[in-house]
């Protein structure tokens, strides 16, 4: 059975473009894997707290079963159980929303999703595919704003760090540049989501 983890992080609950396109991608994958199990994590409707002093203390002292790390373990289990992760990510101030960063801080943990060996860091969440749905007011895939994009490069780096290197993007950009540009960006993204294919590793 294929397990799809769908992460939502837009605080716009009316008209979010990532919240429109993410489900198109999930539906497309469901058509390919009719028995797929879907795990939905909406980081806005149910937010993940910032890393707390108790979290850090338990983590640094190796108390992996401490209550302060229970949510982290649950989120890690969801990632490790999944075959495909569909991440819906708006650009906020050139990077990712803090709601998603809090999730990352809970999921990226030494000994759980990565470890350091003789050859350097090794991701432990291997054999998965990630589809990242990126929403942006401006245009960053080309042109003068390209170097200001700390959203896609960061996501690719952190996913790669935990072993997820098979990453596809669906970019919805320029949505703040007028209704025509927004409609074209959405139509392009919808088409791209419809043509997603995933081959199990
Ligand atoms: C707090 C906040 C910060 C934003 N920062 C940026 C930004 O740095 N660059 C940009 O192009 N758009 C920015 N935007 C616009 C969003 O990226 C845009 O609205 C996009 O559609 C967000 O995805 P969503 O519709 O799924 O929420 C920002 C929006 C908000 C609410």
């Amino acid at each position: 059975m294929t397990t799809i983890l769908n992460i939502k992080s837009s605080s716009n609950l009316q008209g979010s473009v990532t919240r429109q396109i993410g489900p198109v991608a999930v539906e497309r994958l469901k058509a390919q894997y009719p028995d797929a199990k879907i795990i939905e994590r909406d980081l806005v409707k149910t937010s993940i707290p910032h890393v707390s002093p108790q979290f850090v203390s338990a983590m640094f002292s190796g108390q992996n079963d401490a209550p302060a790390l229970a949510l982290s373990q649950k989120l890690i289990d969801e990632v490790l159980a999944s075959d495909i992760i569909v991440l819906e990510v708006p650009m906020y101030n050139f990077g990712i929303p803090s709601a998603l960063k809090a999730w990352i801080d809970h999921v990226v943990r030494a000994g759980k999703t990565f470890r350091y060996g003789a050859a350097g860091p090794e991701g432990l969440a291997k054999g998965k595919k990630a589809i990242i749905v990126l929403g942006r007011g401006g245009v960053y895939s080309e042109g003068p704003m390209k170097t200001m994009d700390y959203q896609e490069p960061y996501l690719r780096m952190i996913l790669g760090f935990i072993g997820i290197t098979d990453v596809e993007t669906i970019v919805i950009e320029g949505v703040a540049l007028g209704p025509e540009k927004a409609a074209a960006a959405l139509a392009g993204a919808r088409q791209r989501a419809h043509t997603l294919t995933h081959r199990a590793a």
Side-chain angles (χ1 to χ4, degrees):
M1 191 184 62
T2 303
T3 300
I4 301 168
L5 174 60
N6 182 201
I7 310 280
K8 296 175 179 290
S9 66
S10 172
S11 289
N12 182 358
L13 297 183
Q14 271 125 26
S16 151
V17 294
T18 58
R19 283 181 182 272
Q20 285 177 67
I21 299 302
V24 180
V26 171
E27 282 308 312
R28 166 74 185 165
L29 294 167
K30 269 165 66 179
Q32 290 175 67
Y33 302 98
D35 68 338
K37 179 183 168 195
I38 314 289
I39 305 172
E40 189 179 294
R41 263 280 155 200
D42 193 319
L43 305 176
V44 170
K45 290 181 182 163
T46 307
S47 61
I48 306 297
H50 288 169
V51 163
S52 66
Q54 294 81 1
F55 180 116
V56 174
S57 165
M59 191 179 87
F60 282 169
S61 59
Q63 290 174 273
N64 282 336
D65 54 357
L69 293 177
L71 175 59
S72 165
Q73 188 59 55
K74 187 172 167 63
L75 299 174
I76 288 169
D77 289 344
E78 286 178 356
V79 169
L80 295 179
S82 66
D83 301 288
I84 310 172
I85 305 176
V86 178
L87 278 154
E88 301 171 17
V89 189
M91 177 183 276
Y92 286 175
N93 294 309
F94 309 103
I96 63 167
S98 54
L100 179 59
K101 181 59 167 54
W103 179 83
I104 289 171
D105 289 341
H106 280 68
V107 164
V108 180
R109 271 181 58 202
K112 299 282 181 184
T113 48
F114 74 92
R115 69 177 166 215
Y116 282 105
E122 181 193 355
L124 301 177
K126 293 189 183 119
K128 303 176 193 308
K129 183 188 190 83
I131 296 159
I132 49 179
V133 181
L134 304 165
R136 303 157 175 179
V139 172
Y140 299 83
S141 62
E142 56 183 15
M145 307 280 275
K146 193 170 177 178
T147 57
M148 295 181 186
D149 176 13
Y150 288 80
Q151 179 197 34
E152 181 180 339
Y154 173 71
L155 285 170
R156 282 186 179 273
M157 182 281 292
I158 200 73
L159 289 169
F161 184 71
I162 62 169
I164 305 173
T165 51
D166 181 1
V167 178
E168 272 194 60
T169 57
I170 301 177
V171 178
I172 320 151
E173 64 181 0
V175 301
L177 304 178
E180 277 178 22
K181 287 223 163 68
L186 264 175
R190 200 175 288 278
Q191 197 177 10
R192 176 143 169 69
H194 273 304
T195 55
L196 281 177
T197 50
H198 170 68
R199 266 177 224 97

